[in-house]
């Protein structure tokens, strides 16, 4: 049996390992997937990513398969319905923030042709490959995540602080923070 060396944060269980091996750090250029991660990262603020990952399918159902066009249309009745949904994080500010983010997401798409064009312009369309040896070296924020955060806030996005944006950058492969001896780092 082959034993893969992974970033040790993902060794909790198969759900985490699968996420690490098949998603985390892979460059994402698809607007639907970028919106999905934006929603999930919004709800993750102040919580563990594992908590959100376990509820991912519930979020998918609650937020119209992460369809930003539909989420932008959510009205008060839908907000109250979501507040009763035990399958998601029932934080009214985050629910309302997600709707505001869908509206802002659409405006960014109108301005730049796609959200992908907008977000990836910050890295000239290419992932930033960091070379950390230990998990403890990986930052929670960066000057770039701070810059993106400020720009998103100016555009009306909510729950997009520098830490949330850095996590989004990691999840969507804008930064590759796999540690140097991780099989995912060496397989790229």
């Amino acid at each position: 049996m082959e034993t893969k060396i992974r970033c040790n944060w993902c060794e909790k269980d198969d759900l985490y390992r699968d996420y690490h091996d098949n998603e985390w750090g892979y460059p994402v250029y698809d607007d639907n997937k970028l919106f999905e991660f934006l929603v999930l990262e919004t709800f993750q603020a102040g919580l563990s990513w594992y908590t959100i990952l376990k509820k991912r399918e519930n979020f998918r159902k609650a937020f119209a398969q992460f369809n930003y066009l539909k989420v932008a249309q959510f009205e008060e009745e839908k907000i109250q319905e979501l507040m009763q949904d035990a399958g998601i994080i029932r934080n009214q500010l985050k629910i309302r923030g997600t709707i505001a983010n869908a509206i802002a997401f659409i405006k960014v798409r109108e301005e730049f042709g796609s959200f992908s064009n907008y977000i990836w312009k910050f890295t000239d369309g290419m992932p930033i490959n960091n070379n950390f040896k230990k998990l403890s070296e990986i930052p929670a924020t960066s000057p770039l995540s701070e810059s993106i955060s400020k720009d998103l806030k100016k555009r009306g996005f909510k729950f997009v602080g520098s830490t949330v944006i850095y996590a989004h950058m990691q999840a969507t492969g804008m930064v590759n923070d796999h540690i140097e001896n991780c099989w995912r780092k060496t397989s790229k």
Side-chain angles (χ1 to χ4, degrees):
M1 182 175 147
E2 179 186 359
T3 304
K4 291 180 178 175
I5 296 173
R6 293 179 174 90
C7 302
N8 60 359
W9 62 261
C10 75
E11 293 296 353
K12 185 175 192 137
D13 64 13
D14 287 340
L15 176 67
Y16 238 18
R17 279 186 288 277
D18 183 62
Y19 172 71
H20 170 274
D21 290 357
N22 297 304
E23 290 188 83
W24 194 70
Y26 278 105
V28 174
Y29 297 94
D30 176 75
D31 275 6
N32 294 317
K33 199 69 167 169
L34 288 167
F35 183 71
E36 174 180 351
F37 278 113
L38 185 62
V39 171
L40 296 174
E41 296 295 348
T42 296
F43 278 92
Q44 188 264 329
L47 302 170
S48 77
W49 179 245
Y50 186 74
T51 298
I52 301 305
L53 203 54
K54 286 191 315 188
K55 295 177 177 278
R56 188 179 198 175
E57 289 308 312
N58 297 333
F59 279 105
R60 186 180 313 283
K61 290 176 193 157
F63 288 94
Q65 307 298 309
F66 301 114
N67 181 323
Y68 48 86
L69 295 170
K70 290 181 179 178
V71 174
Q73 300 297 316
F74 283 6
E75 294 182 352
E76 191 61 33
E77 183 179 330
K78 181 64 174 178
I79 294 168
Q80 294 310 313
E81 177 187 316
L82 292 171
M83 287 297 298
Q84 303 306 312
D85 187 342
I88 65 168
I89 307 301
R90 295 177 287 183
N91 179 307
Q92 188 168 177
L93 292 176
K94 290 180 179 181
I95 291 168
R96 291 183 187 280
T98 297
I99 297 164
N101 288 352
I103 293 166
F105 192 92
I106 292 167
K107 289 179 182 170
V108 166
R109 283 178 47 85
E110 289 168 356
E111 183 177 345
F112 292 90
S114 72
F115 187 81
S116 180
N117 289 343
Y118 161 76
I119 200 76
W120 280 96
K121 77 178 175 68
F122 289 96
T123 65
D124 294 324
M126 298 297 297
I128 297 166
N129 286 302
N130 291 319
N131 295 304
F132 300 117
K133 293 181 183 358
K134 299 180 293 188
L135 195 60
S136 61
E137 295 175 355
I138 300 174
T141 65
S142 71
L144 181 57
S145 70
E146 184 64 35
S147 176
I148 295 171
S149 170
K150 285 179 181 175
D151 196 69
L152 286 167
K153 287 176 184 177
K154 281 193 303 191
R155 294 173 182 283
F157 285 83
K158 311 290 183 203
F159 290 94
V160 290
S162 187
T163 302
V164 167
I165 294 306
Y166 195 79
H168 189 266
M169 292 168 64
Q170 290 172 312
T172 61
M174 290 178 70
V175 294
N176 180 351
D177 277 349
H178 288 280
I179 57 173
E180 282 190 352
N181 67 342
C182 174
W183 78 271
R184 278 286 319 282
K185 182 71 163 188
T186 58
S187 69
K188 288 198 161 230

